[in-house]
Amino acid sequence: MLDVMYFAWVRERIGEPREQVETNAATVAELIEELRRREERYALAFSDLSALRVALDQELSDFDAPLDGVREVAFFPPMTGG
Amino acid sequence: MAVRVQAEGFDPGAELSGFACGRTDVGAVVSFTGVVRDTDGGLDRMEIEHYPGMTERAIAAMVETATARWDLADCLVIHRHGAMMPGEQIMMVATAAPHRVAAFEAAEFLMDYLKSRAPFWKKEFGTDGSGWVESKDEDEDALSRWE
């Protein structure tokens, strides 16, 4: 079971800030494919991966990264701090 | 070294007065304050979302990298989240070092990383509606000079 979190416009498009996802996805990319197939709002949020970033257990990562041992996945647009 | 992520406003002058205060090994203090800017006169407020937990970890890692790279006596990072009005302070970085080059460079390094590697997202609310602030390629490019 994965804790999946969404921030900024990703959160707005999906309509919730976090959810528990039951998945056998081996990588972030596989998880995204599973989510995309679920519902239109996911397909919309994940339509352009170049506009997205991912963090695994609160560390920036990439879409090829394995999910083995990961508890928390977060998707968000490029950060705009400062 | 101190990192504060908070919703409340802060007084940059008071923060700076207390920073590295009384230390005789410090020859230079540099500070930067980021302020909510109303670019075209139509901004009502800005709201900053963040990723609690990751935000603190990411900033702590930046501060650790900066202290390993430059000879710093002290370092302060304050970054707000939540709603703020034009003219209000968003964030502040202060560095103290024996020499000014280290203080300037470390402050710039922290600013560049806070901009595109700390999990904050700005949303502007104005007379023409609302929208997420988009990241700029030049902000990403700014990181390459520190590699």
Side-chain angles (χ1 to χ4, degrees), chain A residues 1-71:
Chain A
M1 192 75 96
L2 275 178
D3 229 343
V4 183
M5 305 174 74
Y6 311 107
F7 292 95
W9 57 255
V10 184
R11 169 180 57 71
E12 290 178 340
R13 284 185 195 177
I14 287 171
E16 51 200 332
R18 70 193 300 163
E19 62 183 323
Q20 299 255 298
V21 176
E22 186 76 62
T23 179
N24 293 315
T27 63
V28 175
E30 285 184 28
L31 173 66
I32 291 172
E33 263 321 298
E34 277 187 23
L35 292 171
R36 266 180 181 153
R37 282 196 295 268
R38 271 188 174 181
E39 280 176 56
E40 184 60 30
R41 58 194 171 110
Y42 291 95
L44 186 68
F46 291 108
S47 59
D48 177 12
L49 293 190
S50 70
L52 280 184
R53 301 290 179 269
V54 61
L56 302 180
D57 289 331
Q58 305 190 355
E59 296 277 355
L60 267 185
S61 188
D62 50 64
F63 298 116
D64 300 330
L67 290 175
D68 192 30
V70 170
R71 283 173 303 173

Side-chain angles (χ1 to χ4, degrees), chain B residues 11 34 36 44 70 119:
Chain B
D11 178 347
V36 180
D44 290 332
W70 288 280

